[in-house]
Amino acid sequence: MTERNPASQATAPAIVNEFSMVVATVNGSGSQTANVSLLRALFRMGIPVSGKNLFPSNIQGLATWFAIRASAKGYLARKETADILISVNPITFAEDLAALAPGGVCFYPENTSQPLSRQDVIYYPMPIQQLVKQIDPPKALRDYIANMAYVGVVAQVLGIERQEIREALNVHFRGRASAVDLNMKMVEAAAEWARLNLTKQDPYQVRRGDGTRGQIMIDGNTAAALGAIYGGVGFAAWYPITPASSLAEELSEYIPRLRRDPESGKVTCAVVQAEDEIAAAGMAVGAGWAGARAMTSTSGPGLSLMAEFAGLAFFAEIPVVIWDVQRIGPATGLPTRTSQGDILFARFLGHGDTKQVLLLPGSAAECFEFGWQAFDLAEHLQTPIFVLSDLDLGMNAWMSEPFQYPDRPMDRGKILTAEDLERLGAFARYRDVDGDGITYRTLPGTDHPLAAYFNRGTGHDETATYSERPEDWEGNLKRIWRKLEHARTLVPGPILQPVAGASIGLIAFGSTDPAIREGRVLLEAEGVRTSYLRLRAVPFSDEVERFVRQHERIYVVEMNAGGQMRQLLQIEYPDQAAKFRSLAHIDGLPLSAHWVAEAVLAEEWRV
């Protein structure tokens, strides 16, 4: 092919560090290395970015998309329309091309048989097979190395620095020079081909900035695992389930590095893969009863199986932490799509009059923070603590502030030692001594004759003795509920962004936060002013009630079909129930700012 103008010679007005890119590939093709390399290279160039992997639930063969959003303004929510398409999946080419924004850019294999049907799109061919032959990688790696061809072409056209791609690969391959060099050989060859053969016609450019200074990039599940480790986890049981598996896998990865006894060299924490979620929950509850800081992680179907043990731990008052990385249900649902559909189920998990405590992280940093705080709350309150993340937050890479080491000693709660028992001369496991509903406990193995009690899930009196007396049952349950009222003062409070004079209040939680923050800017441009409260826990603290009463209309934004958080708020504040309006949306994709703004505007037109 004859030489053309270098790709750096742009003719259109520049759009710098503001675009959404979608890579359309096939699951199991090894494209993740290429995609993450682009994402991390942009991050290393100081450009705020987010990456969202939209993948099917089979092992390989079906279509998958990786969306990268670069935003100098710091907007990280998913954009509904892509500006740049890298299409290497012929099966979805027509659909992906049709969804591209007008004036967008399409990178495609030059041997494609698909029609380039849109006239308002800029096309760049890529000789992927030709470049593979030129590089001649080992046969077993040909398909994987082929993906790096689009990395090189895109890097040259947009201006992504190749040295930063190398550094991104170095992180990905953990310093294995041979793997980095082989992948970079393809990147360099593809970039050189693009320099000689493509004339830049699109407006999108990348320039080094400082928007990521002091930031790290990490997924929520890894952050949660690290938080648990720094929170003193002693035992974790799990059973594989998407999208929670990587949380336990990261525990297994980091514990040998961070939790070894300096004298013996032995690991001080056990991670056990159980035979199913029922067993995992039972092991964790048993370890919590024995005095370990114990946890398990799962998603919706697994949480269903854990219901009986959750109820047992609630009533027997055993501390345990349960991470629920949510996906779409009911039933098997969409295992690789995100959701916030377990709110009501987790809140009341367990038959009878259970009300569980929920933590709702909204960032990777909060996944770390709640990773250790959950243990403090579980042991202080002697109850299960459920941390509700989701697939988007848990499995995708996020920019984050560096994590802060726990700012206080571990809160082990009301534990009596042998010395305490000797001094007190008496012990009743379920007697409320301090009036906060939280009783004192002893740990198995405490060497004192008063330490023992029989832990049970059946009716009991203050001394843990079996009882079917109505007054014992009613008194015990009222005390537990009093303890849960006290929990309002202990759980993480909401994040408030009030606007003076705003009649509209937005309430949201979890991974919807980036879409809400950007959506509020879009609403402001339309003359609609909003206050914002991001929930971080249930039960609700007093700040939530004040926020509700200060606004005429409350829009509760969430990713489920029925407005589950809105229902909880209406239960909590029945005299304010008419204020709450549900903006609930569930299509499996992370929420977008455009949807948030349009949903609020549509409701406001009805006012």
Side-chain angles (χ1 to χ4, degrees):
M1 182 174 288
T2 58
E3 181 176 337
R4 300 181 186 176
N5 293 333
S8 59
Q9 303 296 316
T11 58
I15 300 175
V16 180
N17 298 346
E18 287 287 347
F19 58 82
S20 176
M21 177 192 300
V22 169
V23 185
T25 59
V26 175
N27 201 36
S29 64
S31 60
Q32 191 72 351
T33 301
N35 299 335
V36 173
S37 297
L38 285 170
L39 178 72
R40 287 193 175 274
L42 290 166
F43 174 78
R44 292 181 61 86
M45 288 183 66
I47 304 163
V49 288
S50 62
K52 302 193 183 298
N53 191 16
L54 308 175
F55 59 102
S57 56
N58 73 329
I59 296 175
Q60 63 180 21
L62 295 183
T64 185
W65 296 267
F66 191 85
I68 296 174
R69 183 173 183 186
S71 173
K73 299 175 182 177
Y75 297 141
L76 303 179
R78 181 184 67 89
K79 283 188 68 175
E80 294 182 0
T81 305
D83 304 303
I84 300 170
L85 169 65
I86 304 171
S87 179
V88 290
N89 183 1
I91 302 300
T92 64
F93 181 85
E95 178 183 351
D96 295 331
L97 182 60
L100 192 60
V105 182
C106 176
F107 294 87
Y108 67 98
E110 67 174 6
N111 62 348
T112 185
S113 61
Q114 301 294 322
L116 308 181
S117 55
R118 288 185 57 178
Q119 302 303 309
D120 61 344
V121 167
I122 297 165
Y123 296 96
Y124 293 122
M126 301 181 295
I128 294 177
Q129 294 306 315
Q130 174 187 327
L131 289 166
V132 170
K133 290 180 180 178
Q134 176 184 329
I135 298 301
D136 192 26
K139 185 175 181 181
L141 300 177
R142 290 174 67 89
D143 290 342
Y144 299 101
I145 299 302
N147 291 311
M148 301 307 295
Y150 65 72
V151 174
V153 173
V154 170
Q156 178 63 30
V157 172
L158 296 185
I160 302 173
E161 297 175 11
R162 275 175 257 173
Q163 181 58 33
E164 297 299 6
I165 295 174
R166 175 177 286 277
E167 292 301 325
L169 286 169
N170 194 50
V171 171
H172 183 79
F173 288 111
R174 301 185 179 183
R176 297 201 302 275
S178 59
V180 174
D181 290 344
L182 180 58
N183 280 271
M184 279 305 299
K185 188 176 181 182
M186 173 59 86
V187 172
E188 297 286 359
E192 180 62 11
W193 178 91
R195 186 184 71 82
L196 295 174
N197 294 282
L198 296 180
T199 300
K200 186 170 177 65
Q201 305 171 60
D202 69 280
Y204 299 104
Q205 293 184 17
V206 169
R207 295 177 189 167
R208 183 170 286 276
D210 62 358
T212 63
R213 182 177 299 169
Q215 300 277 302
I216 62 172
M217 180 163 281
I218 193 169
D219 64 89
N221 282 354
T222 300
L226 288 169
I229 292 169
Y230 280 92
V233 62
F235 179 86
W238 69 295
Y239 184 77
I241 184 171
T242 302
S245 293
S246 62
L247 198 163
E249 290 165 353
E250 293 299 328
L251 280 174
S252 298
E253 172 73 20
Y254 281 101
I255 281 173
R257 296 158 58 182
L258 299 174
R259 291 288 298 279
R260 284 191 182 273
D261 181 86
E263 296 183 1
S264 68
K266 293 182 178 180
V267 173
T268 60
C269 177
V271 180
V272 177
Q273 182 175 328
E275 60 267 35
D276 55 35
E277 289 90 348
I278 299 174
M283 291 177 185
V285 171
W289 166 78
R293 291 198 146 191
M295 65 175 290
T296 184
S297 57
T298 190
S299 192
L303 196 66
S304 299
L305 295 174
M306 294 179 179
E308 186 172 1
F309 272 120
L312 170 65
F314 173 87
F315 188 65
E317 300 182 70
I318 299 172
V320 65
V321 172
I322 300 172
W323 277 80
D324 175 20
V325 188
Q326 297 168 92
R327 72 190 205 191
I328 291 186
T332 305
L334 298 177
T336 58
R337 294 292 184 264
T338 197
S339 167
Q340 294 176 323
D342 295 346
I343 303 300
L344 287 175
F345 184 56
R347 174 60 168 157
F348 303 109
L349 190 64
H351 62 277
D353 293 311
T354 54
K355 290 199 296 186
Q356 307 285 6
V357 177
L358 315 181
L359 301 186
L360 308 168
S363 66
E366 286 186 348
C367 285
F368 176 86
E369 181 184 350
F370 293 178
W372 63 265
Q373 284 191 7
F375 289 119
D376 282 358
L377 286 167
E379 293 203 299
H380 188 100
L381 292 166
Q382 299 174 33
T383 197
I385 299 294
F386 291 80
V387 191
L388 270 59
S389 176
D390 61 41
L391 183 146
D392 183 26
L393 183 54
M395 293 191 69
N396 287 324
W398 293 83
M399 285 176 48
S400 173
E401 297 287 339
F403 303 151
Q404 298 297 313
Y405 192 85
D407 59 359
R408 56 182 180 266
M410 293 182 189
D411 182 357
R412 299 304 309 272
K414 299 180 179 182
I415 298 176
L416 296 176
T417 65
E419 291 77 13
D420 294 328
L421 293 168
E422 184 65 27
R423 174 175 49 83
L424 293 171
F427 167 57
R429 171 66 180 96
Y430 296 111
R431 180 173 298 154
D432 184 5
V433 176
D434 302 321
D436 57 6
I438 305 170
T439 63
Y440 287 82
R441 63 179 176 133
T442 58
L443 299 181
T446 301
D447 188 14
H448 195 282
L450 293 176
Y453 66 92
F454 193 88
N455 213 347
R456 61 177 80 244
T458 53
H460 49 262
D461 63 15
E462 289 183 341
T463 65
T465 303
Y466 179 78
S467 173
E468 294 190 14
R469 293 185 176 186
E471 58 270 26
D472 287 338
W473 178 268
E474 187 175 21
N476 196 45
L477 193 58
K478 283 184 176 180
R479 177 189 57 76
I480 293 174
W481 279 35
R482 188 164 64 252
K483 175 176 70 173
L484 294 176
E485 283 299 308
H486 178 62
R488 297 179 191 276
T489 66
L490 302 175
V491 297
I495 302 298
L496 288 160
Q497 295 180 11
V499 171
S503 60
I504 299 171
L506 302 181
I507 293 180
F509 59 96
S511 66
T512 61
D513 182 56
I516 303 295
R517 288 189 279 112
E518 185 182 356
R520 292 181 67 214
V521 175
L522 299 178
L523 288 167
E524 181 76 23
E526 296 292 331
V528 178
R529 303 169 69 216
T530 61
S531 297
Y532 175 35
L533 181 146
R534 179 166 66 85
L535 295 166
R536 298 200 298 164
V538 180
F540 308 121
S541 62
D542 292 343
E543 297 100 317
V544 178
E545 181 174 4
R546 285 195 293 269
F547 182 87
V548 170
R549 295 188 183 280
Q550 288 168 356
H551 295 86
E552 296 177 15
R553 294 180 298 286
I554 301 293
Y555 294 109
V556 186
V557 185
E558 50 193 311
M559 293 188 298
N560 53 60
Q564 294 184 25
M565 187 61 76
R566 184 259 308 166
Q567 294 179 54
L568 281 184
L569 287 161
Q570 288 179 319
I571 292 170
E572 187 73 18
Y573 311 115
D575 64 321
Q576 301 291 304
K579 284 186 177 181
F580 295 104
R581 305 187 182 196
S582 184
L583 299 183
H585 181 65
I586 186 67
D587 61 0
L589 302 177
L591 213 58
S592 72
H594 174 78
W595 185 89
V596 171
E598 289 298 313
V600 171
L601 289 172
E603 288 293 325
E604 284 298 292
W605 278 111
R606 299 190 180 100
V607 175

